[in-house]
Amino acid sequence: MASSELDRGIKGLAGRAKRYSVFALARNASRYHQGWQQAWRHAEPKKSYDVIIIGGGGHGLATAYYLASVHGITNVAVIEKGWLGGGNTGRNTTIIRSNYLWDESAAIYEHAMQLWEGLAQDLNFNIMFSQRGVLTIAHSEHELKEMSRRVHAIRLNGIDSDILGPDEIKKFVPIINIDQTIRYPVMGGFLQKRGGTARHDAVAWGYARAADDLGVDIIQNCEVTGLRRRGRQIVGVETSKGFIGAKKVGCVTAGHSSVLADMAGLRLPIASRPLQALVSEPIKPILDTVIMSNAVHMYISQSDKGEMVLGAGVDKYNSYAQRGSWPVPEHMLAAAVELFPVLSRLRMLRHWGGIVDTCPDASPILSKTDIEGLYFNCGWGTGGFKATPGSGHVFADLIAHDAPNRIAAPYALKRFETGFLIDEHGAAGVAH
Amino acid sequence: MLLIDCPYCGPRDEAEFACGGEAHIARPLAENPISDAEFGSYLFLRHNPKGLFTERWVHSAGCRRWFNMVRDTLSHEIVEIYPMGSLPKSRRGKQAYADNWRRGTPAEAASKPQAKRGR
């Protein structure tokens, strides 16, 4: 991937924030930890900003950070209706990978992967990025053949990807059951070794701290109730804290994108659906990688705390309720227990749903709109977390230049008029 | 978890059903040429309200027949179930139908034969 030309100019902390380091830890330990400063200010809205980002999740905060750090646009506010990172950023299963089928997808997800690899240093924040590998397993002969076609396509894009047989998988993941007589037998799989996980909350906090340090205002508990425009030009947003003026507005609100689009009289191809996940009680380390299954709609990993983190497929009907229906995790757990018999007596501690913005082609929308100065970053559906840095970086570029770069261009809303879709349905694992 | 009152089989668990998404999207007729953008709105753009929504369901593990439903996407309350080919009758159902941005769009107008469009 030749994305290095876009990487130039990223700088981490420049302002007042004291750097985190092992020395800072020792220094503060000797002072009973009284000396830590607040990670970001609780800002009250100014009258107007150059750019307002609606949505204080990972993608929104990343956008604000790259606007400030790469493009020098620091008169920026991030407006969040709840608390920072409390939506899908805090609800996903933290999986990161870039093994997508199409060139357009490879470009954006690999761009994100390369930013992930240096992100903790960029932000001076431990995001607990762990490249423990992501293994996607195949349960049928056909799936295995389709998988090998996909692996070759991914490799042609310069992204690491390897096919494994059942015995190699057993060696890699000792707790897996490779008995060929179960409902979803392990026929093979493909592994991206550079894939892995990161601490999702830390990603939001790290971006918030670094953006705040560069002068970005982060305004929580402030709901956007309307988008004000003059003719075809956006002039600001109506919020629960009053009107805030803006030259440009970027909407990064995942499941609520259609609600915001409606305020501007725009239409999106998005359906909002619940996506569910659950975690078990913490146990000793038994799984040091990430396992995914397309056919079952299951993905599993073990957190550093020891909890088994399991994700299911997307629910079948539209909902904004942030809770899903039982048959979806039930189906996933039945298969998980057969594949990993060791899990059968594990108790589940927490179970939740997040509202994801699913697109007809399972690819995101990074786009200008018919309204001058209004931009949308949405449609990430069930797999936005992995793209967080790439999404923010590319979207900041789009807002700063009012024109999409090479990576963003294919993701314009126009594709639902021209028909140039980027069909990633099932193309690279269930957790798109 | 929904308890869905299939008009043909009675109340059943949601696991027996599949959801077909937004209801009342009519295909523009070939005799009424429209722009790519308008056809794209028929094909891809979706009403996605936080609140009352008209949608199609099929009792796929039962009688396998389709029907329409008015449902609240925030509370999951089922307001009305009505047959394919008809419109909602309850007050809230009628409101949900009328509030859809698709009503009155060129793509929807183009779904009716020219003779009936009073040209």
mmCIF file of all heavy atoms in Angstrom, chain A residues 81 256 258 267-272 316-321 323 325-327 360 416-417 421, chain B residues 1-2 14-15 17 19 36-37 40 44-46 48-50 53 57 71 73-76 101:
data_model
loop_
_atom_site.group_PDB
_atom_site.id
_atom_site.type_symbol
_atom_site.label_atom_id
_atom_site.label_comp_id
_atom_site.label_asym_id
_atom_site.label_seq_id
_atom_site.Cartn_x
_atom_site.Cartn_y
_atom_site.Cartn_z
ATOM 1 N N LYS A 81 -23.649 13.591 22.051
ATOM 2 C CA LYS A 81 -24.911 13.699 22.793
ATOM 3 C C LYS A 81 -24.836 12.988 24.131
ATOM 4 O O LYS A 81 -25.463 13.404 25.094
ATOM 5 C CB LYS A 81 -26.046 13.187 21.898
ATOM 6 C CG LYS A 81 -26.761 11.967 22.358
ATOM 7 C CD LYS A 81 -27.860 11.592 21.395
ATOM 8 C CE LYS A 81 -27.760 10.121 21.061
ATOM 9 N NZ LYS A 81 -28.936 9.583 20.421
ATOM 10 N N HIS A 256 -27.142 6.557 14.051
ATOM 11 C CA HIS A 256 -28.069 7.689 13.967
ATOM 12 C C HIS A 256 -27.832 8.571 12.745
ATOM 13 O O HIS A 256 -28.350 9.682 12.676
ATOM 14 C CB HIS A 256 -27.988 8.530 15.247
ATOM 15 C CG HIS A 256 -28.803 7.962 16.371
ATOM 16 N ND1 HIS A 256 -28.449 6.816 17.027
ATOM 17 C CD2 HIS A 256 -29.979 8.353 16.925
ATOM 18 C CE1 HIS A 256 -29.355 6.537 17.957
ATOM 19 N NE2 HIS A 256 -30.296 7.451 17.919
ATOM 20 N N SER A 258 -28.991 8.359 9.727
ATOM 21 C CA SER A 258 -30.223 8.687 8.996
ATOM 22 C C SER A 258 -31.012 9.767 9.714
ATOM 23 O O SER A 258 -31.677 10.586 9.074
ATOM 24 C CB SER A 258 -31.104 7.442 8.841
ATOM 25 O OG SER A 258 -30.435 6.453 8.116
ATOM 26 N N ARG A 267 -31.142 11.931 2.056
ATOM 27 C CA ARG A 267 -31.517 10.518 2.165
ATOM 28 C C ARG A 267 -30.286 9.650 2.046
ATOM 29 O O ARG A 267 -29.434 9.882 1.199
ATOM 30 C CB ARG A 267 -32.523 10.148 1.079
ATOM 31 C CG ARG A 267 -33.702 11.090 0.982
ATOM 32 C CD ARG A 267 -34.470 11.156 2.278
ATOM 33 N NE ARG A 267 -35.338 12.335 2.343
ATOM 34 C CZ ARG A 267 -35.811 12.842 3.475
ATOM 35 N NH1 ARG A 267 -35.486 12.309 4.634
ATOM 36 N NH2 ARG A 267 -36.594 13.889 3.455
ATOM 37 N N LEU A 268 -30.221 8.616 2.877
ATOM 38 C CA LEU A 268 -29.083 7.702 2.871
ATOM 39 C C LEU A 268 -29.565 6.279 2.594
ATOM 40 O O LEU A 268 -30.723 5.951 2.858
ATOM 41 C CB LEU A 268 -28.372 7.746 4.229
ATOM 42 C CG LEU A 268 -27.742 9.074 4.648
ATOM 43 C CD1 LEU A 268 -27.225 8.985 6.079
ATOM 44 C CD2 LEU A 268 -26.632 9.471 3.699
ATOM 45 N N PRO A 269 -28.667 5.431 2.118
ATOM 46 C CA PRO A 269 -29.060 4.040 1.851
ATOM 47 C C PRO A 269 -28.909 3.155 3.084
ATOM 48 O O PRO A 269 -28.668 1.966 2.960
ATOM 49 C CB PRO A 269 -28.079 3.632 0.750
ATOM 50 C CG PRO A 269 -26.863 4.434 1.044
ATOM 51 C CD PRO A 269 -27.308 5.718 1.671
ATOM 52 N N ILE A 270 -29.032 3.732 4.263
ATOM 53 C CA ILE A 270 -28.645 3.026 5.493
ATOM 54 C C ILE A 270 -29.844 2.441 6.229
ATOM 55 O O ILE A 270 -30.905 3.052 6.295
ATOM 56 C CB ILE A 270 -27.857 3.995 6.398
ATOM 57 C CG1 ILE A 270 -26.439 4.125 5.842
ATOM 58 C CG2 ILE A 270 -27.843 3.551 7.846
ATOM 59 C CD1 ILE A 270 -25.617 5.160 6.510
ATOM 60 N N ALA A 271 -29.645 1.242 6.778
ATOM 61 C CA ALA A 271 -30.607 0.640 7.705
ATOM 62 C C ALA A 271 -29.897 0.463 9.041
ATOM 63 O O ALA A 271 -28.800 -0.095 9.097
ATOM 64 C CB ALA A 271 -31.099 -0.698 7.178
ATOM 65 N N SER A 272 -30.507 0.949 10.133
ATOM 66 C CA SER A 272 -29.886 0.853 11.455
ATOM 67 C C SER A 272 -30.328 -0.432 12.139
ATOM 68 O O SER A 272 -31.521 -0.668 12.315
ATOM 69 C CB SER A 272 -30.278 2.062 12.302
ATOM 70 O OG SER A 272 -29.744 3.228 11.734
ATOM 71 N N LYS A 316 -32.008 -8.988 12.478
ATOM 72 C CA LYS A 316 -32.615 -8.979 11.148
ATOM 73 C C LYS A 316 -33.574 -7.832 10.903
ATOM 74 O O LYS A 316 -34.053 -7.673 9.789
ATOM 75 C CB LYS A 316 -33.308 -10.320 10.884
ATOM 76 C CG LYS A 316 -34.392 -10.678 11.870
ATOM 77 C CD LYS A 316 -34.845 -12.122 11.654
ATOM 78 C CE LYS A 316 -35.779 -12.561 12.764
ATOM 79 N NZ LYS A 316 -36.064 -13.992 12.687
ATOM 80 N N TYR A 317 -33.896 -7.058 11.919
ATOM 81 C CA TYR A 317 -34.809 -5.941 11.669
ATOM 82 C C TYR A 317 -34.265 -4.626 12.233
ATOM 83 O O TYR A 317 -33.455 -4.619 13.153
ATOM 84 C CB TYR A 317 -36.204 -6.224 12.228
ATOM 85 C CG TYR A 317 -36.254 -6.723 13.651
ATOM 86 C CD1 TYR A 317 -36.242 -5.839 14.715
ATOM 87 C CD2 TYR A 317 -36.318 -8.093 13.920
ATOM 88 C CE1 TYR A 317 -36.304 -6.292 16.016
ATOM 89 C CE2 TYR A 317 -36.373 -8.561 15.226
ATOM 90 C CZ TYR A 317 -36.358 -7.656 16.264
ATOM 91 O OH TYR A 317 -36.409 -8.103 17.556
ATOM 92 N N ASN A 318 -34.735 -3.511 11.662
ATOM 93 C CA ASN A 318 -34.263 -2.180 12.066
ATOM 94 C C ASN A 318 -34.593 -1.904 13.523
ATOM 95 O O ASN A 318 -35.667 -2.249 13.993
ATOM 96 C CB ASN A 318 -34.925 -1.093 11.218
ATOM 97 C CG ASN A 318 -34.412 -1.078 9.805
ATOM 98 O OD1 ASN A 318 -33.778 -2.035 9.360
ATOM 99 N ND2 ASN A 318 -34.667 0.003 9.098
ATOM 100 N N SER A 319 -33.662 -1.270 14.215
ATOM 101 C CA SER A 319 -33.904 -0.927 15.606
ATOM 102 C C SER A 319 -32.940 0.157 16.052
ATOM 103 O O SER A 319 -31.805 0.232 15.586
ATOM 104 C CB SER A 319 -33.732 -2.161 16.485
ATOM 105 O OG SER A 319 -33.739 -1.789 17.847
ATOM 106 N N TYR A 320 -33.406 1.002 16.959
ATOM 107 C CA TYR A 320 -32.547 2.003 17.599
ATOM 108 C C TYR A 320 -32.436 1.712 19.102
ATOM 109 O O TYR A 320 -32.070 2.575 19.888
ATOM 110 C CB TYR A 320 -33.134 3.405 17.406
ATOM 111 C CG TYR A 320 -32.929 3.974 16.024
ATOM 112 C CD1 TYR A 320 -33.786 3.675 14.983
ATOM 113 C CD2 TYR A 320 -31.859 4.817 15.764
ATOM 114 C CE1 TYR A 320 -33.598 4.207 13.718
ATOM 115 C CE2 TYR A 320 -31.656 5.353 14.503
ATOM 116 C CZ TYR A 320 -32.532 5.045 13.491
ATOM 117 O OH TYR A 320 -32.335 5.571 12.233
ATOM 118 N N ALA A 321 -32.807 0.497 19.518
ATOM 119 C CA ALA A 321 -32.997 0.227 20.951
ATOM 120 C C ALA A 321 -31.717 -0.154 21.696
ATOM 121 O O ALA A 321 -31.750 -0.320 22.902
ATOM 122 C CB ALA A 321 -34.045 -0.856 21.124
ATOM 123 N N ARG A 323 -30.382 -2.869 22.036
ATOM 124 C CA ARG A 323 -30.426 -4.226 22.575
ATOM 125 C C ARG A 323 -30.930 -5.109 21.452
ATOM 126 O O ARG A 323 -31.724 -4.681 20.616
ATOM 127 C CB ARG A 323 -31.325 -4.322 23.796
ATOM 128 C CG ARG A 323 -32.764 -3.963 23.538
ATOM 129 C CD ARG A 323 -33.535 -3.875 24.849
ATOM 130 N NE ARG A 323 -34.615 -2.901 24.746
ATOM 131 C CZ ARG A 323 -35.803 -3.154 24.204
ATOM 132 N NH1 ARG A 323 -36.086 -4.328 23.719
ATOM 133 N NH2 ARG A 323 -36.721 -2.215 24.138
ATOM 134 N N SER A 325 -32.120 -9.185 19.868
ATOM 135 C CA SER A 325 -33.037 -10.263 20.211
ATOM 136 C C SER A 325 -32.254 -11.547 20.471
ATOM 137 O O SER A 325 -31.173 -11.766 19.932
ATOM 138 C CB SER A 325 -34.073 -10.452 19.108
ATOM 139 O OG SER A 325 -33.438 -10.833 17.933
ATOM 140 N N TRP A 326 -32.798 -12.376 21.295
ATOM 141 C CA TRP A 326 -32.102 -13.544 21.827
ATOM 142 C C TRP A 326 -31.665 -14.576 20.774
ATOM 143 O O TRP A 326 -30.568 -15.141 20.879
ATOM 144 C CB TRP A 326 -32.980 -14.184 22.909
ATOM 145 C CG TRP A 326 -32.474 -15.493 23.388
ATOM 146 C CD1 TRP A 326 -33.097 -16.680 23.317
ATOM 147 C CD2 TRP A 326 -31.199 -15.753 24.000
ATOM 148 N NE1 TRP A 326 -32.315 -17.667 23.849
ATOM 149 C CE2 TRP A 326 -31.147 -17.127 24.270
ATOM 150 C CE3 TRP A 326 -30.108 -14.945 24.329
ATOM 151 C CZ2 TRP A 326 -30.034 -17.723 24.862
ATOM 152 C CZ3 TRP A 326 -28.995 -15.544 24.912
ATOM 153 C CH2 TRP A 326 -28.964 -16.908 25.178
ATOM 154 N N PRO A 327 -32.478 -14.893 19.745
ATOM 155 C CA PRO A 327 -32.067 -15.964 18.831
ATOM 156 C C PRO A 327 -30.700 -15.742 18.191
ATOM 157 O O PRO A 327 -30.022 -16.708 17.827
ATOM 158 C CB PRO A 327 -33.157 -15.951 17.750
ATOM 159 C CG PRO A 327 -34.326 -15.287 18.375
ATOM 160 C CD PRO A 327 -33.788 -14.320 19.373
ATOM 161 N N PRO A 360 -26.111 -0.980 1.761
ATOM 162 C CA PRO A 360 -26.467 -2.076 0.850
ATOM 163 C C PRO A 360 -25.256 -2.868 0.352
ATOM 164 O O PRO A 360 -25.384 -4.050 0.040
ATOM 165 C CB PRO A 360 -27.155 -1.374 -0.324
ATOM 166 C CG PRO A 360 -27.527 -0.031 0.165
ATOM 167 C CD PRO A 360 -26.623 0.317 1.296
ATOM 168 N N PHE A 416 -24.387 5.235 -5.269
ATOM 169 C CA PHE A 416 -25.726 4.660 -5.264
ATOM 170 C C PHE A 416 -26.576 5.223 -6.403
ATOM 171 O O PHE A 416 -27.749 4.930 -6.520
ATOM 172 C CB PHE A 416 -26.380 4.877 -3.901
ATOM 173 C CG PHE A 416 -25.589 4.221 -2.806
ATOM 174 C CD1 PHE A 416 -24.784 4.962 -1.964
ATOM 175 C CD2 PHE A 416 -25.590 2.839 -2.687
ATOM 176 C CE1 PHE A 416 -24.016 4.346 -0.997
ATOM 177 C CE2 PHE A 416 -24.824 2.212 -1.720
ATOM 178 C CZ PHE A 416 -24.038 2.963 -0.872
ATOM 179 N N GLU A 417 -25.924 6.052 -7.201
ATOM 180 C CA GLU A 417 -26.574 6.554 -8.412
ATOM 181 C C GLU A 417 -25.913 5.913 -9.629
ATOM 182 O O GLU A 417 -26.576 5.486 -10.560
ATOM 183 C CB GLU A 417 -26.405 8.084 -8.438
ATOM 184 C CG GLU A 417 -27.134 8.788 -9.535
ATOM 185 C CD GLU A 417 -26.827 10.287 -9.493
ATOM 186 O OE1 GLU A 417 -26.755 10.862 -8.385
ATOM 187 O OE2 GLU A 417 -26.648 10.873 -10.579
ATOM 188 N N LEU A 421 -20.792 0.002 -6.880
ATOM 189 C CA LEU A 421 -20.789 -0.436 -5.484
ATOM 190 C C LEU A 421 -19.484 -1.167 -5.177
ATOM 191 O O LEU A 421 -18.810 -1.666 -6.067
ATOM 192 C CB LEU A 421 -21.972 -1.351 -5.210
ATOM 193 C CG LEU A 421 -23.365 -0.784 -5.489
ATOM 194 C CD1 LEU A 421 -24.423 -1.726 -4.947
ATOM 195 C CD2 LEU A 421 -23.556 0.592 -4.913
ATOM 196 N N MET B 1 -36.958 -9.283 21.760
ATOM 197 C CA MET B 1 -37.684 -10.492 21.339
ATOM 198 C C MET B 1 -39.135 -10.133 21.042
ATOM 199 O O MET B 1 -39.820 -9.566 21.876
ATOM 200 C CB MET B 1 -37.625 -11.492 22.499
ATOM 201 C CG MET B 1 -38.022 -12.885 22.125
ATOM 202 S SD MET B 1 -36.638 -13.715 21.384
ATOM 203 C CE MET B 1 -37.498 -14.889 20.381
ATOM 204 N N LEU B 2 -39.573 -10.443 19.849
ATOM 205 C CA LEU B 2 -40.931 -10.061 19.448
ATOM 206 C C LEU B 2 -41.865 -11.269 19.458
ATOM 207 O O LEU B 2 -41.454 -12.390 19.149
ATOM 208 C CB LEU B 2 -40.924 -9.477 18.031
ATOM 209 C CG LEU B 2 -39.985 -8.303 17.745
ATOM 210 C CD1 LEU B 2 -40.072 -7.922 16.275
ATOM 211 C CD2 LEU B 2 -40.326 -7.115 18.620
ATOM 212 N N GLU B 14 -40.559 -14.668 17.235
ATOM 213 C CA GLU B 14 -39.919 -13.967 16.105
ATOM 214 C C GLU B 14 -38.920 -14.847 15.346
ATOM 215 O O GLU B 14 -38.634 -14.592 14.171
ATOM 216 C CB GLU B 14 -39.220 -12.691 16.575
ATOM 217 C CG GLU B 14 -37.826 -12.929 17.129
ATOM 218 C CD GLU B 14 -37.031 -11.663 17.385
ATOM 219 O OE1 GLU B 14 -37.563 -10.759 18.026
ATOM 220 O OE2 GLU B 14 -35.860 -11.612 16.971
ATOM 221 N N ALA B 15 -38.401 -15.887 16.008
ATOM 222 C CA ALA B 15 -37.416 -16.750 15.359
ATOM 223 C C ALA B 15 -37.992 -17.430 14.116
ATOM 224 O O ALA B 15 -37.250 -17.866 13.238
ATOM 225 C CB ALA B 15 -36.905 -17.794 16.348
ATOM 226 N N PHE B 17 -39.736 -15.963 11.875
ATOM 227 C CA PHE B 17 -39.993 -14.974 10.826
ATOM 228 C C PHE B 17 -38.697 -14.414 10.248
ATOM 229 O O PHE B 17 -37.638 -14.480 10.864
ATOM 230 C CB PHE B 17 -40.808 -13.806 11.397
ATOM 231 C CG PHE B 17 -42.175 -14.194 11.894
ATOM 232 C CD1 PHE B 17 -42.349 -14.719 13.168
ATOM 233 C CD2 PHE B 17 -43.289 -14.045 11.078
ATOM 234 C CE1 PHE B 17 -43.598 -15.076 13.627
ATOM 235 C CE2 PHE B 17 -44.552 -14.396 11.531
ATOM 236 C CZ PHE B 17 -44.716 -14.920 12.814
ATOM 237 N N CYS B 19 -37.427 -10.721 8.252
ATOM 238 C CA CYS B 19 -37.871 -9.356 7.969
ATOM 239 C C CYS B 19 -37.426 -8.950 6.570
ATOM 240 O O CYS B 19 -36.277 -9.164 6.196
ATOM 241 C CB CYS B 19 -37.275 -8.394 9.000
ATOM 242 S SG CYS B 19 -37.829 -6.699 8.787
ATOM 243 N N ASP B 36 -31.094 8.482 -13.338
ATOM 244 C CA ASP B 36 -30.336 7.486 -12.578
ATOM 245 C C ASP B 36 -30.457 7.760 -11.078
ATOM 246 O O ASP B 36 -30.580 6.852 -10.262
ATOM 247 C CB ASP B 36 -28.859 7.516 -12.971
ATOM 248 C CG ASP B 36 -28.619 6.853 -14.314
ATOM 249 O OD1 ASP B 36 -29.613 6.341 -14.893
ATOM 250 O OD2 ASP B 36 -27.477 6.861 -14.788
ATOM 251 N N ALA B 37 -30.414 9.045 -10.711
ATOM 252 C CA ALA B 37 -30.480 9.396 -9.291
ATOM 253 C C ALA B 37 -31.815 8.963 -8.703
ATOM 254 O O ALA B 37 -31.881 8.424 -7.595
ATOM 255 C CB ALA B 37 -30.286 10.894 -9.121
ATOM 256 N N GLY B 40 -31.882 5.235 -8.485
ATOM 257 C CA GLY B 40 -31.019 4.874 -7.349
ATOM 258 C C GLY B 40 -31.746 5.049 -6.021
ATOM 259 O O GLY B 40 -31.561 4.261 -5.097
ATOM 260 N N PHE B 44 -31.752 1.884 -3.716
ATOM 261 C CA PHE B 44 -30.820 1.837 -2.588
ATOM 262 C C PHE B 44 -31.217 2.663 -1.367
ATOM 263 O O PHE B 44 -30.953 2.256 -0.241
ATOM 264 C CB PHE B 44 -29.434 2.314 -3.031
ATOM 265 C CG PHE B 44 -28.773 1.419 -4.032
ATOM 266 C CD1 PHE B 44 -28.433 1.891 -5.295
ATOM 267 C CD2 PHE B 44 -28.489 0.100 -3.731
ATOM 268 C CE1 PHE B 44 -27.810 1.070 -6.230
ATOM 269 C CE2 PHE B 44 -27.880 -0.727 -4.646
ATOM 270 C CZ PHE B 44 -27.539 -0.238 -5.904
ATOM 271 N N LEU B 45 -31.771 3.855 -1.594
ATOM 272 C CA LEU B 45 -32.002 4.729 -0.444
ATOM 273 C C LEU B 45 -33.160 4.195 0.388
ATOM 274 O O LEU B 45 -34.142 3.688 -0.145
ATOM 275 C CB LEU B 45 -32.267 6.169 -0.892
ATOM 276 C CG LEU B 45 -31.165 6.803 -1.744
ATOM 277 C CD1 LEU B 45 -31.404 8.301 -1.890
ATOM 278 C CD2 LEU B 45 -29.777 6.566 -1.161
ATOM 279 N N ARG B 46 -33.028 4.309 1.700
ATOM 280 C CA ARG B 46 -34.016 3.702 2.594
ATOM 281 C C ARG B 46 -34.510 4.681 3.635
ATOM 282 O O ARG B 46 -33.745 5.493 4.146
ATOM 283 C CB ARG B 46 -33.408 2.486 3.307
ATOM 284 C CG ARG B 46 -33.188 1.275 2.403
ATOM 285 C CD ARG B 46 -34.503 0.677 1.938
ATOM 286 N NE ARG B 46 -34.339 -0.343 0.910
ATOM 287 C CZ ARG B 46 -34.411 -0.130 -0.403
ATOM 288 N NH1 ARG B 46 -34.655 1.083 -0.867
ATOM 289 N NH2 ARG B 46 -34.263 -1.117 -1.272
ATOM 290 N N ASN B 48 -35.346 5.208 7.295
ATOM 291 C CA ASN B 48 -34.699 4.542 8.432
ATOM 292 C C ASN B 48 -35.042 5.310 9.701
ATOM 293 O O ASN B 48 -34.174 5.855 10.369
ATOM 294 C CB ASN B 48 -33.183 4.520 8.174
ATOM 295 C CG ASN B 48 -32.431 3.727 9.207
ATOM 296 O OD1 ASN B 48 -32.991 2.835 9.864
ATOM 297 N ND2 ASN B 48 -31.162 4.038 9.393
ATOM 298 N N PRO B 49 -36.346 5.393 10.024
ATOM 299 C CA PRO B 49 -36.765 6.290 11.099
ATOM 300 C C PRO B 49 -36.471 5.731 12.483
ATOM 301 O O PRO B 49 -36.402 4.513 12.676
ATOM 302 C CB PRO B 49 -38.280 6.398 10.890
ATOM 303 C CG PRO B 49 -38.653 5.078 10.320
ATOM 304 C CD PRO B 49 -37.488 4.637 9.467
ATOM 305 N N LYS B 50 -36.298 6.655 13.426
ATOM 306 C CA LYS B 50 -36.243 6.279 14.838
ATOM 307 C C LYS B 50 -37.664 6.501 15.334
ATOM 308 O O LYS B 50 -38.047 7.610 15.674
ATOM 309 C CB LYS B 50 -35.253 7.189 15.559
ATOM 310 C CG LYS B 50 -34.977 6.801 16.989
ATOM 311 C CD LYS B 50 -33.929 7.746 17.580
ATOM 312 C CE LYS B 50 -33.515 7.290 18.964
ATOM 313 N NZ LYS B 50 -32.435 8.131 19.506
ATOM 314 N N PHE B 53 -42.387 2.671 11.790
ATOM 315 C CA PHE B 53 -41.800 2.221 10.523
ATOM 316 C C PHE B 53 -42.709 1.174 9.900
ATOM 317 O O PHE B 53 -43.187 0.268 10.603
ATOM 318 C CB PHE B 53 -40.422 1.616 10.837
ATOM 319 C CG PHE B 53 -39.607 1.213 9.641
ATOM 320 C CD1 PHE B 53 -39.534 2.011 8.515
ATOM 321 C CD2 PHE B 53 -38.887 0.019 9.655
ATOM 322 C CE1 PHE B 53 -38.753 1.640 7.424
ATOM 323 C CE2 PHE B 53 -38.111 -0.359 8.573
ATOM 324 C CZ PHE B 53 -38.043 0.463 7.458
ATOM 325 N N TRP B 57 -42.715 -8.507 6.485
ATOM 326 C CA TRP B 57 -42.224 -9.693 7.178
ATOM 327 C C TRP B 57 -42.740 -10.930 6.449
ATOM 328 O O TRP B 57 -43.758 -10.884 5.762
ATOM 329 C CB TRP B 57 -42.729 -9.717 8.627
ATOM 330 C CG TRP B 57 -42.010 -8.772 9.537
ATOM 331 C CD1 TRP B 57 -42.203 -7.422 9.607
ATOM 332 C CD2 TRP B 57 -40.999 -9.095 10.504
ATOM 333 N NE1 TRP B 57 -41.374 -6.881 10.558
ATOM 334 C CE2 TRP B 57 -40.631 -7.884 11.128
ATOM 335 C CE3 TRP B 57 -40.379 -10.280 10.899
ATOM 336 C CZ2 TRP B 57 -39.656 -7.828 12.123
ATOM 337 C CZ3 TRP B 57 -39.419 -10.218 11.906
ATOM 338 C CH2 TRP B 57 -39.063 -9.009 12.496
ATOM 339 N N ARG B 71 -44.234 -0.904 13.050
ATOM 340 C CA ARG B 71 -43.528 -1.204 14.293
ATOM 341 C C ARG B 71 -42.717 0.017 14.713
ATOM 342 O O ARG B 71 -42.247 0.770 13.868
ATOM 343 C CB ARG B 71 -42.589 -2.401 14.074
ATOM 344 C CG ARG B 71 -41.926 -2.959 15.318
ATOM 345 C CD ARG B 71 -41.110 -4.202 14.958
ATOM 346 N NE ARG B 71 -40.105 -3.897 13.941
ATOM 347 C CZ ARG B 71 -38.887 -3.439 14.220
ATOM 348 N NH1 ARG B 71 -38.489 -3.283 15.461
ATOM 349 N NH2 ARG B 71 -38.026 -3.153 13.244
ATOM 350 N N THR B 73 -39.351 1.418 15.980
ATOM 351 C CA THR B 73 -37.976 0.904 15.986
ATOM 352 C C THR B 73 -37.231 1.251 17.276
ATOM 353 O O THR B 73 -36.113 0.804 17.467
ATOM 354 C CB THR B 73 -37.166 1.458 14.796
ATOM 355 O OG1 THR B 73 -37.147 2.885 14.877
ATOM 356 C CG2 THR B 73 -37.750 1.027 13.473
ATOM 357 N N LEU B 74 -37.842 2.048 18.141
ATOM 358 C CA LEU B 74 -37.180 2.364 19.410
ATOM 359 C C LEU B 74 -37.733 1.499 20.548
ATOM 360 O O LEU B 74 -36.985 0.929 21.332
ATOM 361 C CB LEU B 74 -37.337 3.848 19.737
ATOM 362 C CG LEU B 74 -36.498 4.377 20.891
ATOM 363 C CD1 LEU B 74 -35.018 4.114 20.662
ATOM 364 C CD2 LEU B 74 -36.727 5.870 21.072
ATOM 365 N N SER B 75 -39.082 1.353 20.601
ATOM 366 C CA SER B 75 -39.688 0.560 21.681
ATOM 367 C C SER B 75 -39.969 -0.879 21.252
ATOM 368 O O SER B 75 -40.273 -1.723 22.075
ATOM 369 C CB SER B 75 -41.002 1.214 22.118
ATOM 370 O OG SER B 75 -41.953 1.108 21.072
ATOM 371 N N HIS B 76 -39.886 -1.158 19.946
ATOM 372 C CA HIS B 76 -40.205 -2.460 19.347
ATOM 373 C C HIS B 76 -41.706 -2.795 19.449
ATOM 374 O O HIS B 76 -42.095 -3.940 19.211
ATOM 375 C CB HIS B 76 -39.366 -3.594 19.934
ATOM 376 C CG HIS B 76 -37.917 -3.511 19.548
ATOM 377 N ND1 HIS B 76 -36.994 -4.445 19.910
ATOM 378 C CD2 HIS B 76 -37.237 -2.601 18.829
ATOM 379 C CE1 HIS B 76 -35.797 -4.110 19.445
ATOM 380 N NE2 HIS B 76 -35.930 -2.984 18.788
ATOM 381 N N TRP B 101 -40.345 9.720 3.641
ATOM 382 C CA TRP B 101 -39.909 10.716 2.641
ATOM 383 C C TRP B 101 -40.189 10.259 1.213
ATOM 384 O O TRP B 101 -40.225 11.054 0.285
ATOM 385 C CB TRP B 101 -38.415 11.012 2.792
ATOM 386 C CG TRP B 101 -37.532 9.804 2.640
ATOM 387 C CD1 TRP B 101 -37.060 9.026 3.638
ATOM 388 C CD2 TRP B 101 -37.044 9.237 1.417
ATOM 389 N NE1 TRP B 101 -36.294 8.005 3.122
ATOM 390 C CE2 TRP B 101 -36.267 8.115 1.765
ATOM 391 C CE3 TRP B 101 -37.175 9.562 0.069
ATOM 392 C CZ2 TRP B 101 -35.636 7.306 0.818
ATOM 393 C CZ3 TRP B 101 -36.547 8.767 -0.884
ATOM 394 C CH2 TRP B 101 -35.783 7.646 -0.505
#
